[in-house]
Amino acid sequence: MKVMKFGGTSVGSPERIKDVSSLLTNVGEPVFAVLSAMSGTTNSLVEISNHLYKKNPDKANEVIDNLEAAYMKHVEKLYSTEEYRTTTREFLRERFNFLRSFTIGLFTSFEEKNIVAQGEIMSTNMMVNHMKENGHDAVLLNALDFMRTDKNEEPDTKYIHDKLNGIMSVEDGHRVYVTQGFICRNAYGETDNLRRGGSDYTASLIGAAISADEIQIWTDIDGMHNNDPRVVEKTETIRQLHFEEAAELAYFGAKILHPTCIQPAQQAGIPVRLKNTMQPEAPGTVINDEKVKGKIKAVAVKDNITAIKVKSSRMLLATGFLRKVFEIFESFQTPIDMVATSEVGVSMSIENDLHLDEIVEELNKYGTVTVDSDMCIVCVVGDLDWNNVGFETIAADALKNIPVRMISYGGSNYNISFLIRGTDKKRALQSLSDTLFHK
């Protein structure tokens, strides 16, 4: 069985829903579909929540009314029989009345999560109704019945495995199983969501739980590219990546995939394939545990980076210096991307600068602090094991005319990263592309 996840743009209109339905029914084997909310819906639901936080129920109701009107138009285009139009209209009215119930009384994050969950609940119901109307054997499984996080807000994989397989044994024999991405219950049974990776994470967790043959992530892009196509000319789709290579690219800026979402698939040894809903015949990118020796695969970039350097000659060789520095970042819950050390100091890069002023104030106790803003991290990914003599030199040579603030190499066998000014990004990416892929 394949798990097939479809993002918001893939189910963003009645026409797209019909296309996805055709894809699901032409696979030739049972499939498990994971759907996001229709594109734009989650933004509207967040807007409703924001109005309610500001105690503005009239504006919230206005957004609800507009969203309901849009969905009722979708119903007219999606279904060809009055039976299924009526059934779906009644379901949607129930959901929108549920949303209106939050405009009266206390509003907290608990209510917000219930509101945000409605997008996926509506899209999956509409999909299954459409498939049933056309005579297809489809069944809707409620993600809230089996998808759960633990008290650490991490997926409860044993619970997910046991509950989902129990449900599947009862619903055995169907051609298409459909469920919601992103949403779940927390350890206390409340409606919640997976946050990181969203629906992709759901698909990976389901694939691992049911021992799927393959997990497919369908978007509006033909797989992962070897550079940023928004910045660089003549990029190409990467046909194969190792799990670790894909994770590095996702972490350092490749928007098509979230770095955490492939972890369950990697642990279960299940390949992940990135596919394009608009070009279903294209092979896309497959992510598995196969290593390709002696090849650089891709370049990614992470924007809006801040570099922080702490220089302190009095801390020369002092034990505990780095621990004290890192504890400051930990206390403000600010992850560090890159680190470079010397005898008298340490340089670090961060993406989240929310607490930058407080962090700098604390670091000043240990030395002179220098901050460089508007930086970016350029990450070169491939077989970069240190035994491959010269690979790091090739990447560095491509940046010989660009000032490099920091270099990170050796922490992984799959990447070398360069911290540069954001204004040099386009030139750096194009030079790397010309040197690594178009020689």
Side-chain angles (χ1 to χ4, degrees):
M1 180 181 286
K2 288 184 174 67
V3 174
M4 301 171 69
K5 175 264 176 179
F6 294 90
T9 55
S10 296
V11 293
S13 68
E15 293 74 24
R16 295 278 174 85
I17 290 175
K18 292 176 182 179
D19 290 341
V20 170
S21 176
S22 296
L23 282 172
L24 293 173
T25 53
N26 290 323
V27 173
E29 64 178 281
V31 294
F32 201 125
V34 178
L35 306 185
S36 297
M38 294 180 74
S39 57
T41 300
T42 301
N43 288 340
S44 294
L45 296 172
V46 170
E47 183 182 357
I48 292 166
S49 299
N50 289 338
H51 287 312
L52 294 177
Y53 274 126
K54 296 174 183 176
K55 303 186 186 305
N56 193 343
D58 291 339
K59 288 295 291 184
N61 276 311
E62 181 181 327
V63 178
I64 293 171
D65 291 344
N66 291 337
L67 190 60
E68 182 177 21
Y71 267 80
M72 291 307 171
K73 290 180 181 178
H74 294 329
V75 169
E76 295 302 314
K77 295 179 180 179
L78 183 57
Y79 304 100
S80 57
T81 65
E82 194 56 38
E83 176 190 356
Y84 276 92
R85 283 175 182 158
T86 300
T87 298
T88 308
R89 281 195 208 102
E90 289 176 353
F91 172 80
L92 291 174
R93 285 194 187 101
E94 176 192 325
R95 291 296 91 198
F96 283 105
N97 285 334
F98 179 67
L99 291 176
R100 291 185 180 95
S101 72
F102 293 108
T103 64
I104 303 169
L106 182 68
F107 190 80
T108 68
S109 61
F110 172 78
E111 285 78 21
E112 179 187 15
K113 288 173 181 176
N114 274 284
I115 286 178
V116 173
Q118 299 310 305
E120 282 76 11
I121 290 172
M122 290 190 286
S123 66
T124 50
N125 185 279
M126 292 170 69
M127 174 65 77
V128 171
N129 282 353
H130 169 71
M131 298 184 78
K132 287 181 175 179
E133 182 184 47
N134 287 275
H136 300 303
D137 179 18
V139 61
L140 177 59
L141 306 183
N142 188 348
L144 299 179
D145 290 340
F146 62 85
M147 192 62 61
R148 187 175 80 173
T149 54
D150 58 24
K151 291 182 179 180
N152 296 317
E153 298 185 346
E154 295 294 334
D156 189 339
T157 53
K158 185 180 187 307
Y159 178 92
I160 295 167
H161 174 275
D162 294 346
K163 290 291 288 186
L164 181 54
N165 281 281
I167 293 170
M168 293 290 284
S169 65
V170 173
E171 297 288 355
D172 187 36
H174 295 286
R175 295 290 295 176
V176 180
Y177 298 85
V178 179
T179 196
Q180 302 88 13
F182 179 59
I183 67 175
C184 65
R185 293 196 187 277
N186 59 28
Y188 309 99
E190 301 163 338
T191 300
D192 210 325
N193 58 68
L194 294 172
R195 288 174 289 281
R196 300 165 301 171
S199 296
D200 292 353
Y201 208 1
T202 302
S204 189
L205 289 163
I206 289 173
I210 66 173
S211 300
D213 300 317
E214 185 174 272
I215 299 164
Q216 297 181 351
I217 308 295
W218 290 77
T219 67
D220 55 356
I221 302 172
D222 181 22
M224 196 174 285
H225 283 234
N226 62 0
N227 211 323
D228 190 338
R230 299 165 300 181
V231 179
V232 175
E233 299 175 355
K234 298 178 181 179
T235 64
E236 298 174 354
T237 302
I238 314 161
R239 295 305 174 200
Q240 187 273 337
L241 287 166
H242 186 273
F243 282 116
E244 296 291 344
E245 292 171 338
E248 296 281 4
L249 289 172
Y251 182 76
F252 284 104
K255 302 300 183 185
I256 191 173
L257 196 65
H258 192 280
T260 61
C261 82
I262 60 172
Q263 289 176 356
Q266 181 178 5
Q267 291 167 0
I270 300 170
V272 176
R273 191 177 297 272
L274 310 180
K275 298 277 285 180
N276 185 352
T277 315
M278 274 43 102
Q279 293 178 283
E281 70 283 352
T285 301
V286 64
I287 303 168
N288 53 30
D289 59 4
E290 295 179 12
K291 296 181 181 180
V292 178
K293 290 291 185 182
K295 186 174 182 180
I296 292 178
K297 298 283 187 69
V299 177
V301 63
K302 198 173 193 180
D303 296 314
N304 303 315
I305 300 298
T306 300
I308 304 171
K309 179 167 69 175
V310 185
K311 185 176 180 181
S312 177
S313 57
R314 64 188 174 85
M315 298 305 295
L316 178 67
L317 301 180
T319 58
F321 173 51
L322 288 179
R323 174 179 56 78
K324 292 173 183 176
V325 168
F326 291 148
E327 281 178 348
I328 292 171
F329 289 89
E330 182 182 1
S331 67
F332 290 103
Q333 296 184 317
T334 302
I336 296 172
D337 289 314
M338 296 174 64
V339 179
T341 63
S342 71
E343 293 91 343
V344 294
V346 56
S347 289
M348 299 143 292
S349 72
I350 61 172
E351 182 181 16
N352 180 3
D353 62 358
L354 181 63
H355 299 288
L356 178 61
D357 292 341
E358 298 100 307
I359 289 170
V360 170
E361 183 179 351
E362 290 296 315
L363 290 173
N364 275 322
K365 298 175 182 177
Y366 301 103
T368 303
V369 180
T370 305
V371 176
D372 296 310
S373 301
D374 300 320
M375 311 290 283
C376 66
I377 297 174
V378 175
C379 177
V380 178
V381 169
D383 181 23
L384 286 158
D385 186 281
W386 69 282
N387 289 303
N388 294 333
V389 178
F391 270 42
E392 70 283 358
T393 306
I394 297 172
D397 189 57
L399 302 180
K400 61 185 178 183
N401 296 318
I402 294 172
V404 176
R405 171 71 173 74
M406 286 172 63
I407 298 176
S408 176
Y409 176 61
S412 163
N413 290 333
Y414 298 95
N415 93 68
I416 178 170
S417 299
F418 303 88
L419 183 66
I420 64 173
R421 286 190 295 250
T423 52
D424 292 325
K425 179 179 79 170
K426 180 177 175 63
R427 200 157 52 100
L429 293 184
Q430 190 65 60
S431 180
L432 283 165
S433 197
D434 294 340
T435 301
L436 299 175
F437 309 126
H438 303 296
K439 289 187 290 186

